[in-house]
Amino acid sequence: MKKFLLLLSFLFFAWILTFCNNQSSTEPTFPTEPTTSDTICFESQILPLLRFNCATSGCHDATSATAGVVTEDYTTIRATVTPNDLANSKLYLAIRTGAHQGVRLDQDQVELIQNWILQGANNTTNCSGVTAFVCDTNSFTYNNAVKIILDKECVSCHNINVSNSTVRLDTYDEVRKVATSGALIGVIDWLTGWRPMPQGRPQLPDCERTVIRKWIEDGMPNN
């Protein structure tokens, strides 16, 4: 009888050890190093991505603040992550599968956010090192004004790599197409019947909108 009880105890503890090992092996693992050495720019890569996909009415704009989360600026976004620690970053845990509350990010977008967190979740700005744009409605070209405005305010959401964007503004031909249709002026001037852009953000300054309008009126030259 004693031998039977000893055998039973041994089998029970063996089962416990096996169960615990199996449980620990199913725990998710997270990368600890970035997959790129290139600095991820918060201002031009992370902020527009989260504003476009998350900081919308009913979700994570300042008014809705669903689950107490807002993704409208660096301060609010930084509050959702722990630098260099994906496992304790609420933002990453929510989007790491690529889907969250009906919003689907592609793998490249998830990896972009992942790398930003693993690089320290810094408020990196002016990443191109280009001198700040000075708006002048009397002296401008497509490349020294219109393109800079669109790159700064629109392209991070409206480019070939954003899977849920049907409008592209990342090349001259695409910009010309949108401008010709009347959509560009409609959205930046917040005209009736058009969706105001940039989404969830203040309207473009009057000077910048005037530059774009004049460029269109001049025939949209690629200069």
Side-chain angles (χ1 to χ4, degrees):
M1 185 66 178
K2 287 183 178 180
K3 289 183 179 180
F4 175 75
L5 291 175
L6 286 173
L7 178 61
L8 192 62
S9 298
F10 173 78
L11 292 174
F12 175 74
F13 283 114
W15 177 82
I16 290 292
L17 289 173
T18 302
F19 177 79
C20 291
N21 287 334
N22 287 338
Q23 286 294 100
S24 62
S25 66
T26 60
E27 289 295 317
T29 58
F30 299 93
T32 57
E33 296 293 333
T35 60
T36 178
S37 59
D38 295 335
T39 299
I40 305 301
C41 185
F42 176 80
E43 180 183 47
S44 63
Q45 293 176 283
I46 302 300
L47 181 59
L49 177 63
L50 294 178
R51 277 178 170 170
F52 182 77
N53 288 286
C54 309
T56 55
S57 178
C59 293
H60 301 297
D61 62 341
T63 302
S64 306
T66 301
V69 173
V70 177
T71 57
E72 288 195 339
D73 54 31
Y74 177 74
T75 300
T76 55
I77 293 169
R78 174 64 178 76
T80 69
V81 304
T82 301
N84 309 109
D85 186 354
L86 297 177
N88 289 297
S89 293
K90 183 189 299 185
L91 172 64
Y92 180 75
L93 294 176
I95 58 92
R96 69 191 179 97
T97 61
H100 174 62
Q101 298 295 319
V103 172
R104 178 163 292 280
L105 301 180
D106 62 36
Q107 191 54 45
D108 288 341
Q109 292 170 326
V110 173
E111 187 173 350
L112 187 69
I113 294 170
Q114 169 187 306
N115 284 329
W116 174 67
I117 295 171
L118 291 176
Q119 288 181 1
N122 298 308
N123 187 14
T124 39
T125 60
N126 192 30
C127 305
S128 64
V130 177
T131 303
F133 169 64
V134 178
C135 187
D136 184 346
T137 59
N138 295 312
S139 178
F140 61 86
T141 65
Y142 171 75
N143 285 293
N144 77 7
V146 176
K147 184 178 186 301
I148 292 174
I149 295 168
L150 297 178
D151 283 351
K152 174 171 64 76
E153 300 289 350
C154 313
V155 168
S156 57
C157 293
H158 296 286
N159 65 75
I160 193 172
N161 296 314
V162 178
S163 58
N164 54 356
S165 176
T166 57
V167 174
R168 286 178 52 192
L169 295 169
D170 53 339
T171 69
Y172 167 77
D173 288 338
E174 293 294 334
V175 172
R176 183 182 177 89
K177 185 191 306 180
V178 177
T180 300
S181 72
L184 186 56
I185 291 300
V187 298
I188 67 170
D189 277 350
W190 294 12
L191 300 180
T192 301
W194 295 98
R195 186 178 187 179
M197 290 289 173
Q199 181 174 295
R201 294 159 60 190
Q203 189 175 34
L204 295 184
D206 183 66
C207 179
E208 295 185 1
R209 290 185 288 118
T210 299
V211 164
I212 294 173
R213 195 179 303 111
K214 282 189 171 183
W215 172 73
I216 294 173
E217 292 170 354
D218 288 346
M220 299 170 286
N222 186 8
N223 53 5

